[in-house]
Amino acid sequence: MSDGSRGGEELRTARLSLRRPTAGDIDPIFEIQGDPRACLHNPSDCLTRREEAQELYQRWNEQWERYGYGYWVVRRRGSDLQLGFCGIKAMELNGLKVLNLFYRFAPSAWGRGFASEAAAAVAAWASRQVPDLPLIARVRPGNAASQRVATRACLIRAEHLDTTGEDGVDWIFAANLPV
């Protein structure tokens, strides 16, 4: 799709700075992705060893190298403290090529609108930079907070695309679906 020239390595919102991950982010990746509370609705995503965070970073970096976009590290503007991660990856859903919107934040960052702000910025970026692919979010039926993030990023429920994921049923929220 891209040779990395989409220019999406950094995004800014009113409160947040989103940047491409670096190898220096492996420890924060492990802290957030290894927190069972952060992975409550997706327990298979929970990391147990630092090496898994290193492997995850490598996959994220390969995504950036291949497509010119991926997952961003989310921080408050002017701070080095990482709040979480938000981004997109190309995938296939029920035979349809899509971009999957991912967001996972440290529990200490919950309840302040950071995930919604980051997801809206990433969704807007995707609609400008990769307009040919629908954007979806896979959300567990019991994860009301994640459902709110998806709708605040202008995704709507697409029940006809619901599927079963690794940890159970995925409700699909989508934007830019083909007619």
Side-chain angles (χ1 to χ4, degrees):
M1 284 194 111
S2 171
D3 59 6
S5 61
R6 290 189 190 271
E9 291 195 17
E10 186 167 358
L11 300 175
R12 291 185 181 271
T13 69
R15 299 182 300 162
L16 304 175
S17 172
L18 290 75
R19 66 162 173 76
R20 179 179 175 172
T22 67
D25 296 315
I26 291 171
D27 286 335
I29 289 170
F30 181 61
E31 289 172 23
I32 294 170
Q33 295 282 131
D35 187 327
R37 296 170 299 164
C39 298
L40 179 66
H41 296 280
N42 300 91
S44 67
D45 289 353
C46 195
L47 306 180
T48 58
R49 298 181 340 272
R50 187 180 185 280
E51 294 77 29
E52 293 173 312
Q54 190 168 0
E55 293 166 7
L56 185 57
Y57 162 73
Q58 289 296 336
R59 285 196 307 271
W60 290 0
N61 193 52
E62 289 167 8
Q63 169 81 16
W64 274 99
E65 293 296 322
R66 182 172 181 193
Y67 295 102
Y69 56 79
Y71 295 161
W72 283 268
V73 172
V74 180
R75 297 173 300 163
R76 279 196 84 134
R77 289 179 74 167
S79 171
D80 289 332
L81 177 65
Q82 294 185 9
L83 302 172
F85 310 98
C86 184
I88 52 175
K89 76 172 181 179
M91 64 170 283
E92 195 170 295
L93 176 71
N94 299 333
L96 179 67
K97 290 183 181 188
V98 299
L99 293 175
N100 182 67
L101 177 64
F102 170 84
Y103 37 90
R104 177 157 296 136
F105 283 72
S108 61
W110 292 354
R112 293 189 258 164
F114 296 135
S116 293
E117 190 171 328
V122 169
W125 183 91
S127 73
R128 290 189 310 271
Q129 299 296 323
V130 196
D132 51 322
L133 291 179
L135 181 66
I136 63 113
R138 298 174 296 165
V139 181
R140 298 282 175 248
N143 192 345
S146 186
Q147 293 169 33
R148 286 190 298 274
V149 171
T151 58
R152 289 176 182 153
C154 297
L155 279 67
I156 58 170
R157 238 345 231 115
E159 296 168 6
H160 67 287
L161 292 174
D162 288 355
T163 188
T164 301
E166 259 185 75
D167 296 313
V169 174
D170 284 330
W171 277 5
I172 304 301
F173 290 76
N176 194 31
L177 287 173
V179 180

